[in-house]
Amino acid sequence: MITKRHALKLAVALLTSAAASAYAADTGPIKIGLILPMTGQSASTGRQIDAAVKLWMAQNGNKVAGRTVEVILKDDGAVPDATKRIAQEMIVNDKVAVIAGFGITPTALATAPLATQSKTPLVVMAAATSSITQASPYIVRTSFTLPQVTVAIADWAAKNKIKKAVTLVADYGPGFDAEKFFDSQFRLDGGQVLDKLRTPLRAPDFAPVLQKVIDVKPDALFVFLPSGQGAAFMKQFAERGLDKSGIRLIATGDVTDDDQLAEMGDVAIGVVNSHHYSAAHPSATNKKFVAAFEAANKFRPNFMAVGGYDGMRVIYKALEATKGAGGEALLNAMKGQVFESPRGPVLIDAQTRDIVQDVYIRKVERVPAMNNGLYNVEFDVIKAVKDPGKQK
Ligand code: DHB
């Protein structure tokens, strides 16, 4: 009995003293703890963000405020208990100034209390459930939220002759957000959601839900699945003949992921979706980013890579402002940053610590000018979107 409570108390005490001493030695390296799924089902997220962090450092150097920056990368396999254990080791033993990464929502939520207790800024580069930034005042997000990108595709659907829809989402936090915000916006626009389907986060089987969609026969199927599941879904969508059924596929850009578009092939062509980043975003900043990323890696950057790249930007600028100091000062220096990301202009909202950004409506097309590859080609934009999940 004692042991468990005792262990917890000890952990809190260690965390508190770690926070107090971490920045005492201000001549050594500044450490960034990067926790990512490098193995398992979400490994593509880890691979993308790791590559983007390395690119940021190759372009911007490893010195901030005269001190060396050291990134400690650890694989959590997207298992929340592992994330939490690794974060604790990084805070207590390595005395990191910031923890960053967080491939899926449960890993960010599991670690949030440690950020609060130790006053360590936690930068979410991937996970996208709206409520994450409310789990600790030390959390800052550079990815996106599902409500932020979902409202736009619901509006687009209602304006484009889609009257009846079915939703299909992964059965956890970001899926619930997508389902809820698609439903409420689409109904507000006069549409009707005939059914709400969910698939498990781990090892989803799309056959039963796709059969349901065939039976219900909506005008459109709206889908959210986390990065890495889009290609498997598209394959089954085509195998069951849904691409020729007259049921339109619409989605968040997580499904038509730049990381997997090439694998999906022609079935993806014409899928309209909404998201905050496309590798085909036609800005000079993005063209430079994509060219450098592709020169350094054998793959295209996706939205996860941009979340990681911008996360490093936010951390570097904040460290410059505090001259390497961490804790609350570092957190405060992250708030309110405005900059031009490869995705477009962004703001770290000082009140919510969440990212404000443009959301694009895109269509998957073959682009002759880009090696005839499949891309999400932007054709409309909603400027400076705040997370609607927090506008209560
Ligand atoms: C989350 C993970 C993803 O891969 C994604 O595309 C969106 C959200 C998440 O777990 O929050």
Side-chain angles (χ1 to χ4, degrees):
M1 277 319 294
I2 302 174
T3 48
K4 202 162 186 190
R5 213 183 317 143
H6 217 77
L8 194 71
K9 270 194 180 163
L10 192 67
V12 171
L14 278 172
L15 283 167
T16 314
S17 73
S21 64
Y23 317 106
D26 58 2
T27 49
I30 301 168
K31 293 177 185 167
I32 299 171
L34 183 62
I35 313 175
L36 292 171
M38 302 305 295
T39 53
Q41 185 172 273
S42 303
S44 65
T45 295
R47 173 170 49 83
Q48 286 275 351
I49 294 178
D50 178 36
V53 167
K54 292 197 165 93
L55 177 63
W56 173 272
M57 293 189 72
Q59 292 175 333
N60 295 277
N62 69 341
K63 283 247 166 8
V64 175
R67 289 170 64 189
T68 304
V69 176
E70 189 186 313
V71 172
I72 305 170
L73 170 65
K74 289 263 163 74
D75 173 20
D76 67 359
V79 177
D81 282 346
T83 320
K84 196 174 162 186
R85 177 180 47 75
I86 292 165
Q88 180 150 343
E89 283 166 9
M90 285 175 162
I91 294 166
V92 174
N93 300 336
D94 299 315
K95 304 197 177 359
V96 296
V98 44
I99 45 178
F102 305 95
I104 63 169
T105 289
T107 66
L109 291 178
T111 312
L114 294 182
T116 309
Q117 286 154 19
S118 66
K119 301 191 192 313
T120 307
L122 184 165
V123 177
V124 175
M125 295 169 158
T129 300
S130 174
S131 64
I132 289 173
T133 40
Q134 289 161 315
S136 165
Y138 280 83
I139 294 180
V140 169
R141 173 154 44 197
T142 59
S143 52
F144 71 107
T145 79
L146 263 302
Q148 189 175 43
V149 298
T150 298
V151 168
I153 190 67
D155 281 339
W156 182 87
K159 281 187 210 134
N160 286 275
K161 301 201 172 88
I162 294 168
K163 301 251 180 302
K164 293 178 178 167
V166 167
T167 60
L168 167 58
V169 302
D171 192 7
Y172 77 123
F176 303 155
D177 274 358
E179 181 186 89
K180 179 176 159 196
F181 279 80
F182 185 88
D183 178 62
S184 56
Q185 191 65 29
F186 192 55
R187 282 193 294 117
L188 188 68
D189 294 339
Q192 208 187 333
V193 174
L194 301 178
D195 208 347
K196 297 175 185 173
L197 308 171
R198 294 177 179 181
T199 45
L201 170 61
R202 314 239 175 233
D205 177 8
F206 301 114
V209 287
L210 288 175
Q211 188 52 51
K212 201 88 198 275
V213 175
I214 293 168
D215 296 342
V216 175
K217 221 175 181 337
D219 301 325
L221 171 64
F222 164 75
V223 183
F224 160 76
L225 294 167
S227 187
Q229 295 192 3
F233 169 77
M234 285 289 187
K235 188 157 173 275
Q236 292 215 21
F237 188 82
E239 275 171 9
R240 309 207 141 243
L242 270 138
D243 55 334
K244 295 177 184 74
S245 67
I247 300 170
R248 266 198 100 146
L249 179 60
I250 55 176
T252 65
D254 309 77
V255 178
T256 57
D257 186 343
D258 272 301
D259 195 70
Q260 291 197 322
L261 263 182
E263 234 179 283
M264 290 178 202
D266 286 357
V267 58
I269 291 177
V271 174
V272 175
N273 65 91
S274 58
H275 229 209
H276 54 295
Y277 179 70
S278 165
H281 179 59
S283 73
T285 303
N286 185 53
K287 283 179 184 160
K288 259 172 65 185
F289 169 72
V290 172
F293 191 99
E294 288 182 344
N297 303 286
K298 289 195 171 59
F299 50 94
R300 188 197 290 186
N302 72 354
F303 61 100
M304 294 301 187
V306 170
Y309 191 75
D310 290 348
M312 288 301 283
R313 193 274 180 201
V314 167
I315 294 169
Y316 262 52
K317 291 289 164 190
L319 284 169
E320 275 169 24
T322 66
K323 302 198 167 44
E328 200 172 344
L330 187 62
L331 173 74
N332 288 335
M334 293 179 181
K335 295 178 185 175
Q337 287 193 26
V338 177
F339 60 99
E340 172 75 14
S341 156
R343 66 186 102 178
V346 300
L347 156 73
I348 304 299
D349 186 317
Q351 267 73 51
T352 63
R353 292 161 278 101
D354 227 325
I355 191 160
V356 180
Q357 58 192 332
D358 296 352
V359 172
Y360 306 89
I361 314 285
R362 311 97 54 87
K363 187 190 248 176
V364 178
E365 289 173 17
R366 236 175 236 298
V367 181
M370 295 175 81
N371 265 330
N372 221 26
L374 290 175
Y375 283 90
N376 289 292
V377 178
E378 297 165 358
F379 66 87
D380 202 359
V381 60
I382 302 99
K383 301 292 288 178
V385 181
K386 272 193 164 199
D387 173 28
K390 291 180 197 70
Q391 290 163 9
K392 298 269 156 55

